[in-house]
């Protein structure tokens, strides 16, 4: 997420991914277009490499006519040249930052000794002249090497559509992943000013059985996701055992699909949490996830299901959605959140009777263990916020 100030309004850059639903012939045209522009990019890259990576206008002088002859329109040709130039700029920056090792290292020599390559399905940027959006009709009109496709249908959530309609700006990228086409659009969204006086905090407990439980009673069960992961895991084992090239390819495809599935789920959960906090004028308290893997004691099969990255992703989605909505967000120390009674604050390991039941040994209160934890997190969140505010506001003399 990139933020920038424009006058007094802070803009947050967000990307919206839209899935295209092309007819068969449209899909063929899109596919051929991506192949053509990326083959052309490889060719331009070769020219840039041979001639010592000249500047954009110089590269344009050597390649533009040939690109037009290959069937690229003026804009597409320009975008291909810019894409190649950007790739070399990025490579240079990576080398300078030491991301490819020291001078003379194997990786660095490999990267420097040949032109940058573009995969046949690499992203291609489209500006407003090559791509226009018809939001009401749910279609785009897009340039291809087979001519302009006037009505390619697209699908996205109602929220994403609103964001696109109100804030889409600049270029969008066309990509293909596992046979599906997507447009990645950039939107500049004005950030809502931070709510400085939250009316309490929503505590969020993250877990495996329940992915997220909030102190306000929302619970995102992990059953479906865990079942899904279990199935994927079985399949992965079978494919790994096979070890063939096609099995490996399928494996990669599967894991990308799984990541998309998790990301979708995390979007839905984070959205629900942030919307609830926004509606009630509350802040959000999350556990500090550093060390979640070592902290949580797990049975072996659960360990397979726990992808710490998916929790970090959920937390980062909550973070940026909260920021957009002006909802205060604090991280709290997770110590004792599952052992402490959220009613009387008594701490005892035995308070947690089973995985799901919390029964306080001191006051006798009983509730769902995750709900108890989320209430503790909410309370801690409020304390963190107040402490932070006291340190922010100078004492009156
Ligand atoms: Zn108690």
């Amino acid at each position: 997420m990139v933020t920038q100030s424009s006058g007094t309004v802070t803009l947050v850059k967000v990307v919206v991914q839209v899935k295209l639903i092309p007819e068969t012939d449209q899909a063929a045209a899109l596919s051929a277009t991506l192949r053509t522009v990326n083959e052309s990019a490889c060719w331009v890259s070769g020219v840039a490499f041979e001639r010592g990576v000249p500047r954009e206008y110089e590269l344009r002088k050597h390649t533009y006519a040939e690109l037009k002859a290959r069937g690229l329109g003026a804009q597409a040709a320009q975008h291909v040249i810019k894409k190649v130039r950007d790739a070399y700029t990025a490579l240079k920056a990576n080398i300078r930052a030491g991301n490819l090792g020291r001078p003379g290292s194997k990786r660095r020599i490999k990267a420097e000794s040949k032109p940058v390559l573009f995969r046949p399905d690499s992203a291609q940027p489209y500006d407003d002249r090559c791509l226009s959006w018809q939001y009401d009709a749910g279609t785009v009109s897009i340039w291809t090497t087979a001519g302009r496709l006037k009505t390619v249908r697209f699908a996205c959530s109602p929220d994403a559509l609103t964001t696109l309609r109100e804030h889409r700006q600049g270029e969008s990228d066309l990509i293909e992943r596992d046979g599906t086409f997507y447009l990645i659009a950039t939107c500049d969204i004005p950030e809502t000013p931070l709510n400085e006086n939250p009316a309490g905090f929503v505590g969020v407990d993250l877990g495996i059985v329940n992915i997220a439980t909030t102190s306000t009673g929302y619970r995102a069960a992990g059953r479906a996701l865990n079942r899904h992961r279990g199935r994927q895991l079985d399949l992965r084992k079978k494919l790994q055992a096979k070890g063939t090239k096609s099995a490996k390819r399928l494996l990669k495809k599967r894991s990308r699909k799984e990541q998309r599935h998790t990301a979708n789920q995390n979007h839905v959960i984070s959205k629900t949490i942030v919307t609830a906090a926004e509606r009630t004028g509350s802040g959000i308290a999350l556990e500090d996830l550093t060390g979640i893997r070592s902290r949580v004691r797990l049975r072996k099969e659960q360990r397979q299901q726990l992808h710490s990255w998916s929790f970090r992703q959920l937390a980062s989605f909550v973070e940026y959605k909260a920021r957009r909505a002006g909802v205060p967000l604090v991280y709290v120390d997770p110590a004792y959140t599952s052992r402490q009674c959220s009613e009387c604050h008594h701490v005892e390991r035995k308070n947690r009777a089973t995985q799901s039941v919390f029964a306080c040994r001191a006051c006798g209160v009983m509730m769902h263990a995750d709900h108890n934890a989320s209430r503790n997190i909410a309370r801690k969140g409020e304390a963190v916020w107040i402490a932070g505010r006291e340190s922010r506001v100078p004492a009156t003399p």
Side-chain angles (χ1 to χ4, degrees):
M1 182 174 65
V2 184
T3 56
Q4 69 185 81
S5 273
S6 145
T8 51
V9 183
T10 304
L11 296 175
V12 188
K13 222 173 245 323
V14 296
V15 289
V16 173
Q17 181 173 299
V18 165
K19 184 178 174 177
L20 294 180
I21 314 166
E23 306 289 338
T24 315
D25 53 330
Q26 292 176 328
L30 290 171
S31 181
T33 302
L34 272 185
R35 263 202 317 276
T36 303
V37 292
N38 284 313
E39 273 165 20
S40 303
C42 286
W43 174 76
V44 173
S45 176
V47 174
F49 187 76
E50 267 167 45
R51 296 183 180 265
V53 196
R55 280 178 291 256
E56 191 176 338
Y57 79 91
E58 218 172 320
L59 195 54
R60 186 185 151 95
K61 214 165 62 191
H62 295 298
T63 57
Y64 188 71
E66 163 72 15
L67 289 176
K68 289 294 293 284
R70 286 179 180 226
L72 270 59
Q75 262 78 44
Q78 196 54 50
H79 281 305
V80 165
I81 294 166
K82 191 166 166 292
K83 177 161 108 173
V84 173
R85 204 264 334 252
D86 288 349
Y88 279 100
T89 309
L91 176 65
K92 240 193 199 161
N94 268 321
I95 288 173
R96 210 178 312 121
N99 296 340
L100 295 170
R102 296 167 185 287
S105 75
K106 241 184 184 169
R107 268 176 76 206
R108 187 150 159 189
I109 289 173
K110 200 178 158 202
E112 285 173 321
S113 63
K114 56 177 178 42
V116 172
L117 284 179
F118 294 86
R119 288 200 326 256
D121 59 355
S122 285
Q124 175 69 8
Y126 274 78
D127 63 24
D128 287 348
R129 282 166 297 187
C130 318
L131 170 71
S132 62
W133 300 76
Q134 293 78 48
Y135 300 118
D136 291 327
T139 59
V140 291
S141 161
I142 184 168
W143 171 87
T144 71
T145 45
R148 188 137 184 148
L149 305 177
K150 291 250 166 65
T151 50
V152 181
R153 288 199 301 130
F154 70 80
C156 65
S157 70
D159 281 333
L161 189 63
T162 308
T163 306
L164 280 174
R165 196 194 291 269
E166 292 171 5
H167 307 292
R168 191 197 62 77
Q169 228 162 41
E171 290 172 4
S172 304
D173 278 350
L174 172 69
I175 60 164
E176 184 192 346
R177 290 289 173 264
D178 303 320
T180 306
F181 294 94
Y182 300 91
L183 284 170
I184 316 280
T186 315
C187 302
D188 285 329
I189 297 178
E191 197 171 74
T192 312
L194 183 71
N195 172 9
E196 292 279 356
N197 292 301
F201 273 75
V202 177
V204 183
D205 178 62
L206 301 177
I208 293 152
V209 177
N210 294 307
I211 299 172
T213 305
T214 72
S215 52
T216 48
Y218 166 66
R219 187 180 300 165
R223 218 171 17 214
L225 191 66
N226 289 334
R227 222 179 7 236
H228 174 82
R229 281 196 185 134
R231 270 198 309 267
Q232 296 297 320
L233 200 66
D234 290 344
L235 197 74
R236 205 182 304 154
K237 275 187 192 140
K238 271 183 212 152
L239 289 170
Q240 264 158 356
K242 253 185 161 179
T244 59
K245 211 170 180 182
S246 72
K248 275 183 192 150
R249 203 164 31 225
L250 196 57
L251 210 58
K252 242 188 187 164
K253 187 172 161 178
R254 283 275 155 190
S255 100
R256 277 199 301 265
K257 201 170 166 192
E258 196 183 332
Q259 278 177 25
R260 280 198 295 268
H261 184 92
T262 306
N264 275 337
Q265 180 133 8
N266 281 342
H267 268 301
V268 173
I269 296 170
S270 56
K271 164 107 187 160
T272 310
I273 293 170
V274 174
T275 308
E278 193 183 6
R279 206 181 41 233
T280 54
S282 313
I284 294 172
L286 285 177
E287 283 176 288
D288 185 348
L289 291 176
T290 334
I292 188 167
R293 220 180 240 284
S294 52
R295 187 172 54 80
V296 184
R297 279 195 299 162
L298 298 166
R299 281 177 288 126
K300 201 173 171 199
E301 63 269 30
Q302 281 190 331
R303 230 173 282 152
Q304 298 282 7
Q305 294 166 344
L306 175 68
H307 290 299
S308 55
W309 67 261
S310 94
F311 286 112
R312 279 201 302 276
Q313 184 185 57
L314 177 58
S316 78
F317 286 179
V318 170
E319 199 174 304
Y320 96 75
K321 286 183 164 81
R323 184 158 171 190
R324 260 169 63 182
V327 171
L329 181 128
V330 292
Y331 284 97
V332 305
D333 179 359
Y336 308 118
T337 45
S338 59
R339 291 180 199 170
Q340 188 170 32
C341 172
S342 59
E343 280 292 319
C344 74
H345 307 169
H346 172 66
V347 180
E348 191 176 336
R349 174 177 283 191
K350 286 179 185 154
N351 277 349
R352 182 150 183 181
T354 66
Q355 150 66 35
S356 63
V357 176
F358 184 93
C360 181
R361 294 249 165 168
C363 75
V365 76
M366 273 182 81
M367 64 182 102
H368 194 288
D370 294 341
H371 186 58
N372 178 64
S374 68
R375 287 177 35 146
N376 285 330
I377 294 166
R379 198 185 61 247
K380 282 183 171 191
E382 188 140 22
V384 166
W385 177 261
I386 289 167
R389 186 167 53 195
E390 277 162 7
S391 70
R392 278 195 302 274
V393 179
T396 38

